Amino acid sequence: QKEVEQDPGPLSVPEGAIVSLNCTYSNSAFQYFMWYRQYSRKGPELLMYTYSSGNKEDGRFTAQVDKSSKYISLFIRDSQPSDSATYLCAMSLAQAGTALIFGKGTTLSVSS
Amino acid sequence: DAGVIQSPRHEVTEMGQEVTLRCKPISGHNSLFWYRQTMMRGLELLIYFNNNVPIDDSGMPEDRFSAKMPNASFSTLKIQPSEPRDSAVYFCASSSTLAGESSLSDTQYFGPGTRLTVL
């Protein structure tokens, strides 16, 4: 079993839809959870960052962490064509320069 | 700030040749990471440095791969000899780590990547 599992998609939705992206993980010691967005032929960029369990909201984006289920989610409200990208979940045991373990990424396409 | 700079952006070489990828981290960052991304395996960490010292190289696939960080503003990833299965996009990322603090200061900023094709 891989440490981090993520459905690669692709996921296609119409503009304005609510999008749910998910990852599961096996290592209960993970403490920091992140979502990166990667546009085609670009490097990943940090979108959301959460420590331990709970929710975090930033504009149209909400990140949820359920450590008891080893499950994290990213919700995108009112999706826009500019949200079309690959979304990668990432997690680490501790911050301060430690390694991130990435999911393979889910490719999202939002049509206008 | 110019962000993380990687060169070359594209590299096409023949099997058996030596390949050197270069990275300039963001000024002031003290951690540097090399990743490889393929469709099959996703984004994998190869090696990372903290204050120019290699901390974990367990992701380096084999002895053909080596990485150096001679100073805080430069790192190289070398493949010798290269093989077709090394074809991938190689990313460098850097971060500024403040030990003991839980903050976004350790966000990893990625460069644009080097797309390597080994024929």
Side-chain angles (χ1 to χ4, degrees):
Chain A
Q1 181 188 9
K2 285 192 172 293
E3 279 196 289
V4 179
E5 299 276 4
Q6 184 176 9
D7 187 339
L11 183 61
S12 296
V13 300
E15 183 176 358
I18 296 174
V19 176
S20 172
L21 305 168
N22 311 293
C23 286
T24 58
Y25 62 94
S26 57
N27 190 341
S28 58
F30 284 137
Q31 294 285 347
Y32 295 85
F33 303 91
M34 286 141 274
W35 286 94
Y36 279 78
R37 178 175 60 194
Q38 185 176 21
Y39 290 113
S40 180
R41 297 187 174 266
K42 302 286 188 182
E45 56 179 349
L46 183 69
L47 192 61
M48 297 286 284
Y49 177 104
T50 310
Y51 170 68
S52 195
S53 285
N55 294 357
K56 187 171 185 178
E57 189 173 323
D58 183 2
R60 297 183 295 108
F61 299 88
T62 299
Q64 287 186 351
V65 175
D66 182 348
K67 292 192 71 179
S68 63
S69 301
K70 299 193 188 75
Y71 189 87
I72 69 171
S73 300
L74 177 71
F75 297 96
I76 307 174
R77 291 183 300 280
D78 188 25
S79 56
Q80 303 294 310
S82 58
D83 295 328
S84 298
T86 297
Y87 291 81
L88 302 108
C89 63
M91 44 201 80
S92 69
L93 298 173
Q95 45 81 263
T98 55
L100 293 178
I101 309 299
F102 282 86
K104 284 191 177 181
T106 299
T107 299
L108 171 67
S109 176
V110 182
S111 57
S112 57
Chain B
D1 197 318
V4 175
I5 298 173
Q6 290 187 247
S7 65
R9 294 293 309 276
H10 302 273
E11 177 80 25
V12 180
T13 190
E14 292 188 348
M15 182 174 63
Q17 296 298 306
E18 176 179 298
V19 175
T20 299
L21 312 181
R22 298 173 176 79
C23 176
K24 177 178 169 55
I26 292 173
S27 177
H29 282 189
N30 62 338
S31 288
L32 183 140
F33 306 79
W34 281 101
Y35 291 89
R36 177 172 68 176
Q37 187 174 40
T38 61
M39 290 290 290
M40 288 294 292
R41 300 175 69 88
L43 197 61
E44 301 175 287
L45 178 70
L46 299 176
I47 185 171
Y48 76 95
F49 297 83
N50 190 250
N51 294 320
N52 310 338
V53 175
I55 301 301
D56 184 356
D57 65 354
S58 60
M60 296 285 262
E62 47 198 276
D63 292 345
R64 298 184 297 106
F65 286 70
S66 62
K68 293 183 180 180
M69 191 164 187
N71 56 62
S73 59
F74 184 66
S75 176
T76 60
L77 177 68
K78 186 175 293 187
I79 308 173
Q80 166 63 21
S82 58
E83 297 182 2
R85 61 193 168 118
D86 301 331
S87 298
V89 181
Y90 290 81
F91 288 103
C92 173
S94 71
S95 68
S96 173
T97 59
L98 299 175
E101 291 194 19
S102 173
S103 71
L104 279 175
S105 63
D106 62 346
T107 299
Q108 292 186 25
Y109 293 86
F110 283 75
T114 295
R115 185 172 296 272
L116 173 65
T117 302
V118 183
L119 303 174

